[in-house]
């Protein structure tokens, strides 16, 4: 099992550019989510999905888009990158919500100049 | 609203010392789950433990132990005989039966030889 994989590992964007962060899991988990980690802020939920075709917003969704066409994949799209989106992005998956531990990917470090 | 407070931003200890990382939480839910995650310098997030609100038993796993006290809304983490490999950022997190993990801001632990 590869677990949760994320690509790319590092990315530099210019303000206004768009891009997609990829996330995939091979554990057949229904629940997937995206977090961002900023210094001194912990991790904050951006978007989540409870199954294919179902997504919803988390705490900090502005500027990001998601879709879930398969159980395995949950890409995160930055529509028009801004310096405030400079962060480390983590994708996570779990068997369900609440009680289940989330398995995190290795993260994508994004810098927007 | 749910909130997790990790008041200790940084802790520095010498190897073999015991160290306790504090976690205080707030929630109105009667059913909730508490987690600890470790983030070593390599950046990945590693699940350490989950505890549900109905189980106040303390847990010990090797050099790690956790003390859950509902009366003080605390879920503290102790490392006994710390080692250099314990150097990491440790996050406490809270979840109800819903979709989000609410993370504290983390405690950075540095263990020096």
């Amino acid at each position: 099992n590869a677990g949760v994989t994320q690509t790319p590992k590092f990315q530099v964007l210019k303000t206004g550019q768009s891009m997609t962060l990829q996330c995939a899991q091979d554990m057949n988990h229904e629940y997937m989510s995206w977090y961002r980690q900023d210094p001194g802020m912990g991790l904050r939920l951006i978007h989540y999905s409870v199954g294919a075709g179902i997504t919803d917003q988390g705490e900090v969704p502005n500027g990001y888009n998601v879709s879930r066409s398969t159980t395995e994949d949950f890409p995160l799209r930055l529509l028009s990158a801004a310096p405030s989106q400079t962060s480390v992005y983590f994708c996570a998956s779990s068997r369900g919500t609440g009680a289940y531990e989330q398995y995190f990917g290795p993260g994508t470090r994004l810098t927007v100049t | 609203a749910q909130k997790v407070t990790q008041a200790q931003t940084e802790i520095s200890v010498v190897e073999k010392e015991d160290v306790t990382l504090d976690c205080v939480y707030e929630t109105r839910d009667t059913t909730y789950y508490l987690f600890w995650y470790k983030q070593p310098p390599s950046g990945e997030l590693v699940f350490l433990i989950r505890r549900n609100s109905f189980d106040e038993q303390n847990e010990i796993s090797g050099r790690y132990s956790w003390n859950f006290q509902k009366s003080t809304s605390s879920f503290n983490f102790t490392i006994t005989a710390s080692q250099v490999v314990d150097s990491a950022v440790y996050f406490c997190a809270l979840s109800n039966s819903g979709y989000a993990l609410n993370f504290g801001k983390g405690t950075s632990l540095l263990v020096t030889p």
Side-chain angles (χ1 to χ4, degrees), chain B residues 4 6 15 21 24 32 54 71 73 87 89 93 104 113:
Chain B
V4 175
Q6 295 180 256
E15 207 169 20
L21 310 182
V24 174
Y32 53 90
F54 298 107
S71 60
S73 297
S87 296
V89 180

Side-chain angles (χ1 to χ4, degrees), chain A residues 3-89:
Chain A
V4 180
T5 57
Q6 291 182 237
T7 55
K9 201 164 179 60
F10 302 95
Q11 183 70 49
V12 178
L13 288 179
K14 294 188 174 172
T15 298
Q17 287 184 319
S18 62
M19 79 158 296
T20 300
L21 307 186
Q22 301 292 344
C23 174
Q25 52 92 9
D26 61 359
M27 297 175 281
N28 203 31
H29 286 168
E30 288 297 321
Y31 179 76
M32 295 185 74
S33 55
W34 277 101
Y35 291 85
R36 61 177 288 173
Q37 182 180 19
D38 302 295
M41 295 293 292
L43 281 82
R44 293 179 292 170
L45 182 66
I46 304 171
H47 284 286
Y48 67 97
S49 169
V50 298
I54 307 169
T55 64
D56 208 343
Q57 298 180 350
E59 180 186 355
V60 288
N62 292 341
Y64 307 96
N65 225 352
V66 292
S67 60
R68 183 106 178 262
S69 56
T70 67
T71 299
E72 295 78 19
D73 300 300
F74 190 43
L76 178 73
R77 297 182 189 82
L78 279 69
L79 309 171
S80 177
S84 61
Q85 294 179 302
T86 294
S87 189
V88 180
Y89 292 85

Side-chain angles (χ1 to χ4, degrees), chain B residues 52-65:
Chain B
N52 72 52
S53 53
F54 298 107
D55 181 5
E56 283 194 76
Q57 273 193 332
N58 292 333
E59 177 142 347
I60 298 174
S61 176
R63 296 184 298 105
Y64 294 173
S65 62

